[in-house]
Amino acid sequence: MTTAVMSRVLLVPGRYLMYRVLGYLLLLLSLVQLLGMLVAIYYHESIFWVFLTCAVLGAVVGYTLIYLGRGASDLKSRQLFLLTTLSWLMMCFFAALPIWWIVPDCSFTDAWFEAVSAVTTTGSTVLSGLDQMPKGLLFWRALLNWIGGIGIIVMAIAILPALKIGGMRLFKTESSDTSEKILPRSSSMSAAIGMVYLVLSALTMLSYYLAGMTGFDAISHGMTTVATGGFANYDASFGQFKDTPLIFWLSSFFMMAAAMPFVLFVSVVKGNRLALWRDPQVRAFMAIVLVAALTLTFYQVQQQNRPWFDALTHSLFNVVSIITTCGYASEDYTLWGNLAVMLFFYLTFAGACSGSTSGGLKIFRIQLAAMLLVKQMKLLIHPRAVWDQRYGGKKVDDQLLGTVLAFCFIYFATIAFIAMALSFYQLDLVTAVTGAATAVANVGPGLGNIIGPAGNFSSLPDGAKWWLSLGMLMGRLEILTLLILFTPSYWRY
């Protein structure tokens, strides 16, 4: 950001409230870093001082921002774009510092990439030798995934609908003046969603532990599963647990649960037992998972003579992992055949449900785009006809369909642009295209020998890592939240 633009940022009305929000977020991150310190102390690792130093540094900067923001001010809705972007950038920067200082020969570029991947719950990694990494660092990566997961839910529920981005108005809560109030106040809704997130995380951790994981692995993988972040403690990802099929089934179940709208879980607890089933995107999500998993199972049994239960276990796990944008891998699924490679490439774009921890395009946008296509086909036959379009019981007007279509365009245009930028660094077609797609969709692994499920992103040039980091942030912030800051008209008024 240039000096001129930064000066405009400091003059934005409502800057005092921005300072306070950023300061409190940084204080919260500093407290979380103390957890990493405690884990390092428990395992007698000398890196505990790194977390302590970073926590103190973050606290000093955080208190300074709070002091600067002591003046009274109001925040306009359009300023949410700036506040949201600055919050994520600040969190990523301070999250990268422990990684930068702990990992030997780690450049800041690699530390930034790892932190962005963690906070955005993408799950791409530049680190190798995870099996021998300090426990404190592994816990920090998992914790960043977990924090990013709840942050994504809050943003999707409270902020994005107010910004009217890509059809998100369909998912307004009472904080956005919805008529269907589940709880009386938005603060109660946030608390209820937080409680669901905590309970789901605890159940995942307990299930993993009872299935055979160590306590540390159960806690770490429990956090990254519910956050659909995909960071694992081993280079082999979930292939480390290949001798325990039960773990794959448990992980598939909890990844799917985390990829469903958390608001609907609250609704179920409040007495609406069929809330999940009645949601059109949940039904579509379940159908896609079922069809894709059974297709790959049949394909492996027929083409590779693989035992059906083993084929079903790994097919379901990897399909769920990719479509939920978690990014775990039980094995190198690119070796299953061309059908598997093509299917996983398609699933990379899909994503799961809105209001969940998953990334991607989201199922509801695909459904609305299909609704628009059907309408256009009908208009070719009956040009003067008028239809009452509804989605999940809510009326869908042409303006909302237009925003969805515009978002889909900018989504794929962003992937194409980043893929073009990656090709500048002499990356092959598969690596460039799937790398851009997995970054914007926040999935994790791409395809090919370099960034596929059996590889990582460490060998990519630094410039490519910065482009991919930008793609991860754009994908997590629904693209327009970040893109609008680069338009002159945003800063003009």
Side-chain angles (χ1 to χ4, degrees):
M1 189 175 293
T2 65
T3 303
V5 173
M6 283 298 296
S7 64
R8 296 294 297 271
V9 171
L10 296 177
L11 295 174
V12 171
R15 65 185 183 278
Y16 298 114
L17 183 55
M18 285 190 186
Y19 290 153
R20 287 203 302 274
V21 171
L22 293 174
Y24 284 123
L25 284 175
L26 195 49
L27 284 182
L28 179 61
L29 183 65
S30 297
L31 290 175
V32 170
Q33 286 175 332
L34 295 179
L35 295 178
M37 181 191 72
L38 293 176
V39 171
I41 292 174
Y42 179 82
Y43 285 100
H44 308 290
E45 296 170 345
S46 60
I47 62 171
F48 75 89
W49 69 268
V50 174
F51 290 107
L52 179 60
T53 303
C54 292
V56 172
L57 177 62
V60 171
V61 176
Y63 275 118
T64 301
L65 289 171
I66 293 173
Y67 177 78
L68 293 174
R70 64 190 184 279
S73 64
D74 294 322
L75 194 67
K76 297 180 180 179
S77 59
R78 64 188 295 271
Q79 294 168 346
L80 282 173
F81 292 106
L82 179 61
L83 177 58
T84 302
T85 301
L86 290 177
S87 298
W88 284 78
L89 288 174
M90 182 194 69
M91 294 284 283
C92 291
F93 176 80
F94 282 92
L97 294 180
I99 302 173
W100 186 27
W101 291 343
I102 291 173
V103 180
D105 302 321
C106 179
S107 66
F108 182 76
T109 295
D110 284 344
W112 171 261
F113 181 95
E114 195 78 9
V116 171
S117 179
V119 176
T120 60
T121 71
T122 301
S124 302
T125 184
V126 294
L127 302 182
S128 56
L130 295 174
D131 306 53
Q132 289 79 41
M133 287 282 181
K135 292 290 196 296
L137 179 63
L138 295 176
F139 180 80
W140 179 239
R141 295 166 75 244
L143 193 57
L144 289 176
N145 258 182
W146 192 76
I147 293 172
I150 188 64
I152 290 160
I153 296 173
V154 172
M155 184 180 70
I157 298 285
I159 298 176
L160 295 180
L163 300 180
K164 303 178 181 179
I165 290 178
M168 294 299 292
R169 283 178 292 170
L170 280 174
F171 305 99
K172 289 181 181 179
T173 61
E174 76 277 2
S175 61
S176 301
D177 298 323
T178 186
S179 59
E180 184 181 354
K181 298 183 180 181
I182 299 174
L183 294 173
R185 298 183 321 205
S186 59
S187 58
S188 299
M189 171 60 74
S190 299
I193 290 175
M195 184 58 63
V196 170
Y197 194 73
L198 288 172
V199 171
L200 189 58
S201 300
L203 289 175
T204 308
M205 296 173 189
L206 179 61
S207 299
Y208 281 162
Y209 180 72
L210 295 177
M213 282 191 184
T214 64
F216 179 79
D217 281 345
I219 292 173
S220 299
H221 291 95
M223 287 191 289
T224 59
T225 297
V226 174
T228 59
F231 271 163
N233 293 339
Y234 305 95
D235 288 337
S237 189
F238 254 60
Q240 180 72 19
F241 311 107
K242 60 184 178 182
D243 296 328
T244 312
L246 176 59
I247 291 178
F248 293 119
W249 285 93
L250 289 171
S251 182
S252 298
F253 173 79
F254 286 112
M255 282 189 290
M256 291 181 68
M260 295 182 185
F262 274 62
V263 170
L264 297 184
F265 286 125
V266 177
S267 185
V268 169
V269 173
K270 298 298 291 184
N272 187 1
R273 305 301 182 190
L274 298 177
L276 283 169
W277 177 248
R278 288 171 178 167
D279 190 272
Q281 60 176 336
V282 172
R283 294 198 303 269
F285 168 62
M286 297 291 288
I288 293 172
V289 168
L290 181 62
V291 171
L294 291 179
T295 299
L296 286 176
T297 299
F298 178 79
Y299 182 71
Q300 290 187 78
V301 170
Q302 293 296 316
Q303 298 294 323
Q304 301 176 356
N305 295 319
R306 190 168 189 174
W308 73 267
F309 181 75
D310 187 48
L312 178 60
T313 299
H314 289 276
S315 295
L316 178 64
F317 175 83
N318 287 285
V319 164
V320 172
S321 178
I322 296 301
I323 195 173
T324 62
T325 71
C326 188
Y328 289 142
S330 63
E331 57 188 44
D332 188 357
Y333 45 74
T334 61
L335 301 178
W336 293 357
N338 292 332
L339 174 65
V341 172
M342 187 61 67
L343 185 56
F344 281 116
F345 179 67
Y346 290 160
L347 292 175
T348 296
F349 295 96
C353 303
S354 175
S356 69
T357 60
S358 70
L361 186 60
K362 300 292 191 305
I363 297 294
F364 86 93
R365 291 194 178 104
I366 299 174
Q367 292 176 306
L368 290 177
M371 183 184 298
L372 180 61
L373 174 62
V374 171
K375 176 183 177 181
Q376 294 303 314
M377 293 178 66
K378 289 181 177 179
L379 286 175
L380 291 175
I381 303 173
H382 306 287
R384 299 181 183 276
V386 177
W387 289 275
D388 182 23
Q389 302 170 119
R390 291 188 174 272
Y391 180 85
K394 296 181 179 180
K395 187 175 181 179
V396 178
D397 56 27
D398 289 342
Q399 181 182 4
L400 191 144
L401 287 176
T403 63
V404 171
L405 189 61
F407 182 87
C408 291
F409 169 77
I410 195 63
Y411 182 85
F412 288 106
T414 300
I415 293 175
F417 178 79
I418 293 179
M420 182 68 72
L422 294 177
S423 67
F424 178 82
Y425 300 94
Q426 303 303 315
L427 299 181
D428 63 90
L429 176 65
V430 173
T431 301
V433 173
T434 63
T438 193
V440 177
N442 302 121
V443 173
L447 296 174
N449 297 326
I450 301 176
I451 61 172
N456 67 20
F457 291 72
S458 60
S459 63
L460 299 185
D462 284 355
K465 293 171 185 174
W466 283 102
W467 278 111
L468 290 171
S469 297
L470 175 63
M472 288 187 278
L473 284 168
M474 292 186 72
R476 184 45 69 197
L477 297 179
E478 299 284 340
I479 300 177
L480 295 176
T481 305
L482 183 58
L483 192 62
I484 196 173
L485 300 182
F486 293 91
T487 61
S489 58
Y490 179 83
W491 304 99
R492 193 172 296 148
Y493 304 104

